[in-house]
Amino acid sequence: MSKYITTPIYYVNGEAHIGHAYTTFIADTIARYEKLKGHDTYFLTGTDEHGEKIEESAKKSGKSIQEFTDEMSATFKNLWDEFEIAYDKFIKTTDENHKIGVQKAFKVMYAKGDIYKGFYEGNYCISCETFFPETQLTDGEFCPDCGRTTNIVKEESYFFKLSKYEDRLLKHYEDNPDFILPRSRGNEVINFVKGGLRDLSVTRTSFSWGVKMPKSFNDDKHVMYVWLDALLNYITALGYGKDDALMNYWPASTQFVGKDILRFHAIYWPAFLMSLDLPLPKHIGAHGWWTRDGEKMSKSKGNVVSPKEVADAYGVENLRYFMLREVPFGQDGDFSQRAFIDRINSELSNDLGNLLNRIIGMSGKYSDFEINSVDVEKYHTKELNDMNEILDNLDALMENLQTHRYLEELWKLFSIGNKAIEEHAPWVKIKEDKKDEALATVALVANILAKASVMLSPVMPKTTNIIADALNFSIDNTSYKELVVDKKLLKLFNIKKVPPLFPRVEEPLMEEAPKAMPDDNPNDEMKEELAAKKEKKEEDNLIEIGQFFETSLKVGVVVEAEEVPKSKKLLKLQVDLGENSNRQVVAGIKEFYSAESLIGTQVCVVANLKPAKLMGMMSEGMLLAAKDEDGLCLIRPEKPKKVGTPIG
């Protein structure tokens, strides 16, 4: 079975940002997953290099257009190479073979009667390179997509009969409900088509940087519309128009796009394919946008996330894991360093890395690093059944592009491993002269790590290869079949020592983004208005008494306290609030109080605060304290009070 995975081709008008990286990471992950399963897979990415915007940008740079596009395209290719993206082809729309394929497609559509010549007059957005009817404009002037001013343009044009395919498109959406993923994105496309499709202008005469018309048309003043040119890359990369050498991979399995270009890929592209009598892709996967710390990214705000900067600071595989785990596919995601660090420390370091270190240590102590699965089924049937059930459910999640759920389920395997160690306590079994039981638990965990590493490999290929090497096997289709499909166990082997895979991150490794103004470029008048609003808010920052009583404050007593290793500020406290069990509170007071000095003392606690993780530990409340230039002190009752006494 063949599979064909594509990213959109990235427009070379700027450098790669975190959204480009996310699209490429998820496409690379799906391609690696298909190859792991043994499917003949072809993975395409590349750059879109034509159009009026590129022509204008090249002029501003003082370089020739080709020189400008070559340099900008190289920044994308070099970054993907540095990130070890396993693409099979990197296409450029300035490639000669691509131009040949586009010209052939134009001739086929024209011969079929789907392209005709006429005149177009309308509002044109240079940024989006799209005409918009007046009914779609914002305030009768501005582009509905990007908000920029449109220009009235009248020019001769060739048109594609998009309206001809309206009914066929709607029929395809109805017959193939998973054509657009997630399905919720399909509704907006269907509603747009039901609103009526107008024929699409597919050439331009107002600029010259684009694919020229076929010579047989003898119409050199026209160049191809950038979206006709760009969308056809998915088949010209396979040899369409030249030798059709790789057209056996068509139709595509999944074509990944951002939600902002879904309309082009879910309406224009299938209509073009219908005109060319080519089958449609199985899935168009539309993902959301990324913000930073809850704010939209923009250069003027200074909060754009550079994927290279993040990868240099934290590692590219950690970044891959975070982005695919953090957000459900199709929804908008938020890049937060704090959330990123928490996933590294809690999930990667504690759950996965520490589990590997534990079995290396135990196997070295109990069996001279030898691991044998001979007794695993005898002593650990339940754990094996639980593990296999999880493994059996993973494929459907990846098929539906639910990478966050895939990783969430996969991580349950590490929980099974850690729980097995705690429940079966190999160190106790050794003392009780039950060495076979102790070694069976170590072997169970080794098998969990092996099988989980196979399934994690599409997301973190380098990391999982290190784990596989330590466990003396290779990750490939053979090990996938044996360990995951056939549910076999590892053969007798000697485990290798490896350095910690995920060193804990104590402090952010990058500068935090500056808090942006509400407007990208506020003028002096707006700045004064914002300052006045802020001052007014500070003056009027009064609350109703009911708002105050929404906060639950209680008296508690610290029953246990300990330092958090490797942290300069944190103490981990167990606080009795008169409830069924103690509350764990992680407090940044280590510089002012020793752990020993707090045991048995009373504190005031915010008791209805939403639990949060700090350095991988759950904190279920917050202590009241006051801090000035002389330091910090806890707020305490003047006289001892019963635990759980409300503060009001």
Side-chain angles (χ1 to χ4, degrees):
M1 181 187 296
S2 66
K3 299 284 184 175
Y4 183 29
I5 312 294
T6 70
T7 72
I9 49 174
Y10 303 117
Y11 207 49
V12 296
N13 211 34
E15 295 182 355
H17 54 64
I18 202 77
H20 297 134
Y22 175 65
T23 317
T24 309
F25 286 157
I26 194 167
D28 184 63
T29 295
I30 298 297
R32 288 177 183 272
Y33 184 76
E34 296 294 355
K35 290 175 182 177
L36 180 69
K37 291 168 64 178
H39 296 151
D40 180 16
T41 305
Y42 198 80
F43 173 27
L44 176 72
T45 189
T47 48
D48 180 6
E49 302 169 25
H50 288 137
E52 190 171 4
K53 276 193 295 186
I54 299 298
E55 193 173 73
E56 290 182 351
S57 296
K59 288 177 182 176
K60 290 178 183 177
S61 73
K63 300 173 182 175
S64 71
I65 308 177
Q66 190 64 62
E67 182 184 10
F68 175 80
T69 57
D70 286 347
E71 288 183 5
M72 293 302 296
S73 177
T75 65
F76 282 86
K77 187 175 187 300
N78 292 341
L79 185 63
W80 301 156
D81 289 344
E82 184 177 334
F83 285 1
E84 298 188 22
I85 302 300
Y87 58 81
D88 293 285
K89 183 177 178 64
F90 187 98
I91 191 171
K92 292 157 52 72
T93 55
T94 51
D95 292 342
E96 287 304 316
N97 287 346
H98 171 72
K99 295 176 185 177
I100 292 170
V102 172
Q103 290 172 337
K104 177 187 175 178
F106 193 93
K107 288 190 286 187
V108 170
M109 293 176 182
Y110 185 85
K112 195 173 183 178
D114 285 348
I115 289 180
Y116 62 92
K117 195 173 185 179
F119 281 89
Y120 192 95
E121 180 175 4
N123 292 81
Y124 182 67
C125 175
I126 293 177
S127 179
C128 297
E129 309 208 58
T130 305
F131 281 103
F132 292 96
E134 192 171 345
T135 55
Q136 292 183 13
L137 298 178
T138 303
D139 295 332
E141 178 184 358
F142 301 102
C143 173
D145 288 346
C146 72
R148 292 179 173 84
T149 302
T150 59
N151 300 314
I152 300 287
V153 174
K154 182 178 181 179
E155 62 177 320
E156 183 181 78
S157 178
Y158 286 83
F159 290 83
F160 174 76
K161 290 184 178 179
L162 187 63
S163 57
K164 170 182 173 181
Y165 292 95
E166 185 176 315
D167 291 339
R168 280 186 65 183
L169 287 168
L170 290 172
K171 181 71 164 56
H172 185 77
Y173 305 147
E174 182 181 353
D175 293 344
N176 300 274
D178 287 332
F179 175 63
I180 299 169
L181 291 175
R183 287 190 177 189
S184 57
R185 291 269 175 227
N187 296 330
E188 61 192 72
V189 171
I190 292 169
N191 290 335
F192 186 91
V193 176
K194 284 182 176 179
L197 295 178
R198 300 176 59 186
D199 290 351
L200 182 68
S201 171
V202 292
T203 65
R204 297 286 184 268
T205 59
S206 54
F207 60 92
S208 59
W209 184 245
V211 178
K212 308 298 182 187
M213 293 285 286
K215 288 185 178 180
S216 58
F217 280 70
N218 195 27
D219 207 346
D220 292 341
K221 66 180 179 179
H222 286 265
V223 294
M224 304 284 184
Y225 168 52
V226 67
W227 275 107
L228 174 65
D229 160 20
L231 289 166
L232 288 166
N233 92 90
Y234 303 124
I235 55 174
T236 64
L238 302 178
Y240 178 85
K242 194 172 190 304
D243 55 17
D244 291 347
L246 299 171
M247 282 298 289
N248 58 293
Y249 285 106
W250 190 260
S253 311
T254 307
Q255 301 201 258
F256 288 98
V257 299
K259 65 180 182 180
D260 54 324
I261 55 174
L262 176 60
R263 186 194 311 163
F264 301 98
H265 285 80
I267 301 175
Y268 299 173
W269 179 224
F272 293 158
L273 290 168
M274 289 174 180
S275 180
L276 295 172
D277 293 319
L278 290 173
L280 274 55
K282 184 177 180 182
H283 301 301
I284 303 291
H287 64 75
W289 292 334
W290 283 81
T291 55
R292 183 172 189 178
D293 299 323
E295 293 187 343
K296 183 179 178 181
M297 293 185 218
S298 77
K299 291 181 180 178
S300 57
K301 290 177 181 176
N303 68 341
V304 174
V305 180
S306 162
K308 177 169 171 48
E309 181 185 355
V310 180
D312 288 345
Y314 292 97
V316 66
E317 296 221 334
N318 290 350
L319 178 60
R320 283 175 70 113
Y321 174 80
F322 172 76
M323 298 193 81
L324 298 184
R325 175 68 179 87
E326 183 71 6
V327 58
F329 183 81
Q331 296 183 19
D332 291 345
D334 184 63
F335 180 86
S336 158
Q337 262 196 107
R338 293 294 175 181
F340 189 10
I341 291 171
D342 184 57
R343 289 213 184 272
I344 291 173
N345 290 341
S346 175
E347 295 168 17
L348 295 178
S349 183
N350 285 0
D351 296 342
L352 172 52
N354 188 50
L355 188 60
L356 177 63
N357 292 337
R358 294 179 82 178
I359 66 161
I360 290 174
M362 285 189 288
S363 64
K365 187 179 295 185
Y366 307 146
S367 58
D368 196 25
F369 298 104
E370 183 179 274
I371 294 181
N372 192 339
S373 302
V374 65
D375 289 323
V376 172
E377 292 178 317
K378 179 179 179 181
Y379 294 110
H380 293 291
T381 302
K382 181 183 184 304
E383 289 91 344
L384 289 175
N385 289 339
D386 290 345
M387 174 180 63
N388 289 330
E389 183 179 354
I390 291 169
L391 291 170
D392 288 343
N393 293 331
L394 290 177
D395 190 62
L397 296 173
M398 192 66 90
E399 283 289 325
N400 287 297
L401 313 182
Q402 298 180 51
T403 57
H404 72 296
R405 288 279 294 113
Y406 178 93
L407 291 169
E408 182 181 349
E409 288 298 304
L410 185 59
W411 241 247
K412 291 180 180 178
L413 297 182
F414 305 131
S415 296
I416 292 173
N418 281 305
K419 184 178 179 182
I421 291 174
E422 298 306 321
E423 286 187 352
H424 296 278
W427 51 91
V428 175
K429 294 290 196 300
I430 291 291
K431 291 179 181 179
E432 295 174 346
D433 200 25
K434 298 177 180 177
K435 187 175 182 179
D436 56 340
E437 292 185 39
L439 296 185
T441 301
V442 174
L444 165 73
V445 177
N447 279 280
I448 288 173
L449 282 166
K451 294 168 188 282
S453 295
V454 170
M455 301 308 285
L456 181 59
S457 63
V459 178
M460 305 182 79
K462 291 185 71 173
T463 301
T464 49
N465 279 336
I466 294 172
I467 298 173
D469 183 60
L471 300 175
N472 199 35
F473 79 101
S474 297
I475 295 177
D476 51 27
N477 177 246
T478 299
S479 58
Y480 167 77
K481 287 180 177 177
E482 290 181 353
L483 295 174
V484 179
V485 178
D486 297 335
K487 299 177 173 55
K488 294 180 180 178
L489 299 178
L490 294 170
K491 297 175 182 176
L492 176 69
F493 72 97
N494 281 78
I495 196 169
K496 298 177 186 176
K497 290 184 177 181
V498 296
L501 295 177
F502 307 103
R504 294 185 62 82
V505 181
E506 299 300 332
E507 300 290 342
L509 303 179
M510 295 164 37
E511 287 187 16
E512 296 288 2
K515 286 295 179 183
M517 300 287 283
D519 186 87
D520 283 0
N521 295 292
N523 56 32
D524 291 339
E525 183 178 341
M526 292 178 65
K527 288 179 181 178
E528 291 176 6
E529 182 181 346
L530 289 167
K533 287 182 178 179
K534 181 179 179 182
E535 185 177 347
K536 178 70 173 173
K537 182 178 179 181
E538 290 174 352
E539 289 176 358
D540 296 344
N541 192 23
L542 304 176
I543 63 172
E544 300 287 342
I545 191 168
Q547 291 175 272
F548 171 78
F549 284 115
E550 289 177 4
T551 304
S552 174
L553 304 176
K554 294 183 179 180
V555 174
V557 63
V558 178
V559 294
E560 293 180 27
E562 60 180 292
E563 295 184 355
V564 175
K566 298 183 180 180
S567 174
K568 297 178 181 178
K569 300 180 179 180
L570 299 180
L571 294 178
K572 183 170 71 172
L573 313 175
Q574 299 297 324
V575 182
D576 181 4
L577 289 176
E579 301 168 334
N580 292 331
S581 60
N582 295 331
R583 294 277 195 102
Q584 178 168 290
V585 177
V586 181
I589 57 175
K590 182 177 175 181
E591 297 173 79
F592 306 98
Y593 293 90
S594 68
E596 296 79 10
S597 69
L598 292 172
I599 297 175
T601 64
Q602 289 200 322
V603 289
C604 298
V605 181
V606 181
N608 63 340
L609 197 66
K610 184 178 180 180
K613 277 189 176 181
L614 297 173
M615 289 187 65
M617 297 173 294
M618 191 62 70
S619 183
E620 302 169 304
M622 183 173 69
L623 305 186
L624 296 187
K627 185 178 181 182
D628 60 13
E629 62 273 9
D630 294 325
L632 176 145
C633 67
L634 292 171
I635 305 298
R636 306 173 187 269
E638 183 181 356
K639 297 178 181 179
K641 292 293 178 183
K642 183 180 178 181
V643 294
T645 299
I647 300 169

